[in-house]
Amino acid sequence: MELQQTPIRIMLVEDDEDWRRGLAAFLNAEPDMEIVAETGDPQQAAALCEHTQPTVILLDIMMADNPAGLQLAEQLSVQSSARIIMLTSMDSGSFVSDALRAGAVNYIVKSDFAGIPEAVRRAAADRSEIDATAAKLVLEELRRLRSVERNYEVDQFKRQVTPAEVQLLSMIHEGHSQSQIAERSFLSIRTVKNHVGNILRKLGVGSSKEAADKAKDMGLF
């Protein structure tokens, strides 16, 4: 006699009533899934979760025009052992990162709804692999953050050196000696040495070559 498989117990938290009804019908049609609770009110989610003990929670990030789902995910991941899958209409790398930090095991864009049943099965079996779209968004967000960090570093560097000092660093990078720089700039060798000393102090580096290499790396010349 074949043993009947226990259905995966699912709770839906989604404030779009039509979408929630459609998703509930879609998942209830799966032979191994059962919707045990659903709500559009994040305030009811914790009590529903406690009462119904779902295996998997499908949780919308944006409710009432704010990312209430992120805070709710943190709360539910503490009070329950249910695996949380975040749902969203937006392609946002920052939201993906925030969702995973909040305790979600996966993040699915609603337009990829056909993949939700398999994501639920993987979550229930504790074998979640982040959705390919979500993974791409995370990588894009990491690249964006690296770009922001780089732009900040360049801006801070530019604020530390004057145009005249940038020109001096450019000549150092080209291999000119301090005597040659003094001659080309119509300055005394003492003035050039003072400029170099000021640059080293401001940048916190040990040599003029290191300072010039850093300026080059920052794209100043």
Side-chain angles (χ1 to χ4, degrees):
M1 179 178 177
E2 185 178 351
L3 293 176
Q4 186 175 3
Q5 182 181 7
T6 302
I8 300 169
R9 299 170 61 80
I10 303 169
M11 182 171 86
L12 301 182
V13 185
E14 162 65 62
D15 65 348
D16 184 330
E17 186 175 347
D18 291 336
W19 205 89
R20 187 177 74 243
R21 187 185 301 115
L23 180 60
F26 178 59
L27 294 177
N28 271 328
E30 296 290 324
D32 57 343
M33 296 182 191
E34 177 187 7
I35 303 298
V36 296
E38 56 177 285
T39 181
D41 183 0
Q43 301 297 325
Q44 296 179 358
L48 273 175
C49 181
E50 180 70 25
H51 179 68
T52 60
Q53 295 294 304
T55 309
V56 176
I57 300 171
L58 294 173
L59 174 58
D60 189 18
I61 285 185
M62 295 296 294
M63 289 183 281
D65 296 325
N66 69 79
L70 292 175
Q71 182 176 355
L72 184 56
E74 289 188 27
Q75 179 183 352
L76 293 175
S77 65
V78 170
Q79 82 166 62
S80 168
S81 61
R83 280 72 165 178
I84 299 171
I85 298 174
M86 303 300 289
L87 302 174
T88 183
S89 300
M90 297 178 297
D91 294 349
S92 170
S94 62
F95 274 158
V96 178
S97 301
D98 290 342
L100 297 177
R101 281 196 294 268
V105 298
N106 206 344
Y107 176 108
I108 297 178
V109 179
K110 290 179 180 178
S111 58
D112 298 333
F113 71 92
I116 292 178
E118 184 57 28
V120 168
R121 293 185 183 99
R122 286 184 173 277
D126 209 15
R127 294 186 290 108
S128 285
E129 296 176 3
I130 187 169
D131 178 74
T133 301
K136 180 181 178 183
L137 292 172
V138 169
L139 290 176
E140 289 175 351
E141 177 66 6
L142 290 174
R143 291 190 192 102
R144 186 191 70 81
L145 291 174
R146 281 197 292 267
S147 177
V148 169
E149 183 179 4
R150 171 70 175 180
N151 291 338
Y152 175 78
E153 290 176 354
V154 170
D155 182 67
Q156 290 297 104
F157 190 92
K158 287 180 177 178
R159 291 173 183 271
Q160 289 181 289
V161 291
T162 66
E165 289 170 338
V166 171
Q167 186 177 13
L168 186 149
L169 288 170
S170 177
M171 287 188 281
I172 292 173
H173 186 265
E174 291 170 356
H176 297 295
S177 67
Q178 291 187 359
S179 298
Q180 290 171 325
I181 292 171
E183 184 178 347
R184 283 169 172 261
S185 305
F186 304 103
L187 299 171
S188 68
I189 186 68
R190 182 181 181 84
T191 300
V192 172
K193 289 181 180 294
N194 286 339
H195 279 318
V196 171
N198 288 335
I199 291 170
L200 298 184
R201 281 193 295 274
K202 287 193 290 186
L203 300 183
V205 295
S207 70
S208 58
K209 183 181 184 307
E210 185 180 353
D213 288 345
K214 191 170 185 179
K216 176 66 175 178
D217 182 60
M218 292 292 172
L220 271 65
F221 48 80

